[in-house]
Structures are given as structure tokens and as C-alpha cells.
Amino acid sequence: MPQPVWKIDAPKLAKIRKERALPPEDVADRMGVSARMIHYYEAGVHSPSVSRLGDLALALGCAPDDLIAGPRREASMVDLRYAVGLAAASVAARLRGDPASHGQLINYRKIRDLEEGRKVTGKMLRDPETSGLLASTLARMYGRPGF
């Protein structure tokens, strides 16, 4: 799997939490983790997983992208997915519920294959119109509707 180009910005995380006057315990409760884990994130000892990044941003009332350190190179699909705090399984579940999927069996493996540039198989995915709808849906989901 491609390595993400993002890294949590520990000082920025601490700053955002303090600006919102949220004790680490409150953030931890909202995320379902220990307060110690919040301290680890803020100290740069640990980085949250993709899904935890989304939970952390929600707990702080900011976008996941606000917690990521720069500078960045050109973003990959993995990076875009990480920036909105979604795991591949979450993307697959959302796509299965979207009319653009046309009843395809979309799972996390297909999302990963797509991100890694491997061919994604599926009867309806051979149709350019269907695959274009899926690409547009992914772009919206990843906060890039103009792609």
C-alpha cells in the first residue's frame, strides 16, 4: 500500500484542543479512547489511524485536514481518503449505498486496488459511464468535487 504523505501535526492538535478549551479527558471520551492516548498524540509519540483521525477531528470540531502537518507532495487517493478521515471499508460501505455503484459488490479490497492503480473488476465497472459515476462519487466523498 502506498505510504500516506500526511503526518499528524502534534503541536497544532494541542493548540486546537486548547483553543476550544477542551480537556484531554473530554476529547478522549468523545473518541472512546483514554486521555493518555490524547497526550501521546499531542506529544507526537503516536499518530491516530485513519478512522481515529476522523474521530479526533469530530471531537475537536474541525476537519481532519486541519490536524495534518505539511508540506505535502501531490496527494494520492489514499491521502485524499485519509484527509477526510475515512477507512477503505467506510468508503466501500458508502459506495454500496450510493446509486452510482449500480449494485456493484464494492468492498475495501476494490477501494485499495483502485488506490494502488490495479484493475478493479466488476461487470458494470467495464461501462465508462458507470465507472465515471463512481469516480465522481469518490471525488465528492474525498472533498474534491471538481475532479
Side-chain angles (χ1 to χ4, degrees):
M1 183 166 117
Q3 293 298 310
V5 297
W6 66 271
K7 183 178 178 189
I8 192 84
D9 188 334
K12 192 173 180 183
L13 165 61
K15 181 181 176 202
I16 290 171
R17 182 186 58 76
K18 289 173 185 172
E19 284 174 350
R20 287 165 171 70
L22 291 169
E25 296 78 16
D26 287 357
V27 177
D29 286 344
R30 292 177 186 186
M31 291 180 63
V33 299
S34 69
R36 177 175 285 176
M37 188 56 68
I38 302 304
H39 290 292
Y40 287 158
Y41 293 160
E42 290 182 358
V45 174
H46 291 292
S47 275
S49 65
V50 177
S51 59
R52 288 281 187 220
L53 177 64
D55 294 343
L56 181 58
L58 187 63
L60 293 170
C62 66
D65 206 32
D66 294 338
L67 302 172
I68 298 172
R72 299 180 200 160
R73 63 177 191 243
E74 186 174 312
S76 69
M77 288 184 69
V78 174
D79 301 320
L80 294 174
R81 179 169 55 80
Y82 281 16
V84 294
L86 292 173
S90 299
V91 171
R94 287 183 184 193
L95 282 176
R96 283 192 302 269
D98 191 283
S101 71
H102 288 280
Q104 292 295 299
L105 289 172
I106 304 290
N107 59 32
Y108 78 94
R109 287 187 188 119
K110 287 187 179 183
I111 299 301
R112 289 268 183 77
D113 286 345
L114 182 63
E115 291 173 345
E116 294 177 23
R118 290 191 296 265
K119 185 175 180 176
V120 179
T121 59
K123 181 180 173 187
M124 299 282 294
L125 294 175
R126 292 185 201 118
D127 172 36
E129 184 178 338
T130 301
S131 56
L133 287 172
L134 282 174
S136 296
T137 303
L138 276 176
R140 280 192 314 276
M141 202 179 298
Y142 293 171
R144 304 294 195 260
F147 282 93

